[in-house]
Amino acid sequence: MILINLLPHREAARKRRRETFYATLGLSAVLGGLIAVTAFLWFQAQISNQQAKNTLLKTEITKRETEIKEISTLQAESADSLLLVRDVPGRRQPHPSRSPDSMTFRMRVTRCRSHPAEPQAR
């Protein structure tokens, strides 16, 4: 029986497999790193966009809050002035010569004197 030494051939195959494994491992690490960096940059871009939107919303909210405060002060002022306007006729004391009956009589008399051609309304 002839004995053939296959150890060098086996060693060469193991060496090739080991080199292929390490090359694949290195390429996988590089590819994984690229994917991680790309994902990180994408998330950072999304975060910065959202922060820009948030600052825009905050500025708009503060503008609207000041407008709401102005509107509420204007409403309070208008309510106060409306109360004053409603309260003013209640505080007046009617003058004795300006009773509604005498006012009607004066109006009729002045109207009749100023326009004698019109028929007198009684």
Side-chain angles (χ1 to χ4, degrees):
M1 173 182 243
I2 302 176
L3 292 174
I4 300 174
N5 188 3
L6 295 177
L7 285 176
H9 177 63
R10 287 180 185 162
E11 285 296 322
R14 280 185 194 145
K15 186 177 180 183
R16 252 182 297 145
R17 277 185 282 169
R18 190 177 304 126
E19 287 174 358
T20 306
F21 174 75
Y22 286 131
T24 306
L25 183 65
L27 286 175
S28 298
V30 169
L31 184 62
L34 287 174
I35 289 172
V37 167
T38 304
F40 176 76
L41 292 175
W42 183 76
F43 281 121
Q44 288 294 54
Q46 293 295 321
I47 289 171
S48 66
N49 287 340
Q50 188 62 43
Q51 286 175 344
K53 289 177 185 178
N54 288 348
T55 55
L56 176 68
L57 285 174
K58 284 180 183 178
T59 56
E60 290 297 320
I61 286 171
T62 54
K63 285 181 186 177
R64 299 302 176 248
E65 285 177 348
T66 55
E67 289 176 359
I68 288 171
K69 287 178 184 177
E70 289 176 9
I71 289 171
S72 64
T73 55
L74 289 175
Q75 285 177 344
E77 289 174 2
S78 67
D80 290 342
S81 62
L82 184 62
L83 286 175
L84 288 175
V85 168
R86 286 183 181 168
D87 197 27
V88 167
R91 289 188 179 185
R92 288 187 191 165
Q93 296 297 325
H95 197 270
S97 65
R98 294 186 181 167
S99 65
D101 295 331
S102 65
M103 292 291 284
T104 307
F105 177 71
R106 286 185 187 167
M107 287 175 60
R108 285 184 184 166
V109 169
T110 55
R111 187 177 296 153
C112 292
R113 288 182 187 165
S114 63
H115 300 287
E118 291 181 8
Q120 294 182 358
R122 292 189 186 205

